[in-house]
Amino acid sequence: AGEDGVLLEYEGTYRYNLLITRPNDKPVSLTQGEVVDLGHTFGVLAGEERKTLVWMVDGTEFRLSSGDLPLQEMIKIALSVYDQSPK
């Protein structure tokens, strides 16, 4: 869909990946899922066995996916990514 991005994969206590893209078109919005307050923005959590948390910061879309990462850990990762992004 005309997107460039970076995929980061992590293995450790939990296995997860983080896809970072700057959508060229309008941002894709998830219509189904649970809204999650990330402090600086809101994300949408979707999925059953494999959960995906999606959020936007300054035109950059983040997709954090994992089969075993608890929601609180997903939120911590989202907050740490935001703290490191240029403001």
Side-chain angles (χ1 to χ4, degrees):
E3 295 178 5
D4 290 323
V6 175
L7 177 64
L8 306 171
E9 296 183 1
Y10 297 88
E11 288 189 31
T13 304
Y14 303 107
R15 292 180 57 161
Y16 62 94
N17 61 47
L18 179 62
L19 177 62
I20 305 168
T21 58
R22 291 192 65 90
N24 295 334
D25 302 325
K26 63 180 182 176
V28 176
S29 62
L30 293 175
T31 56
Q32 295 181 344
E34 173 188 346
V35 175
V36 178
D37 185 351
L38 300 175
H40 58 282
T41 188
F42 288 94
V44 176
L45 181 67
E48 292 296 323
E49 294 191 12
R50 183 164 183 81
K51 302 265 187 219
T52 300
L53 179 63
V54 180
W55 70 98
M56 297 281 296
V57 176
D58 298 328
T60 300
E61 181 180 281
F62 297 87
R63 289 183 169 266
L64 176 61
S65 299
S66 178
D68 62 357
L69 194 62
L71 176 59
Q72 290 305 317
E73 292 298 317
M74 292 180 112
I75 292 171
K76 285 182 189 177
I77 292 166
L79 292 173
S80 72
V81 167
Y82 179 74
D83 288 342
Q84 295 176 19
S85 66
K87 295 181 176 64

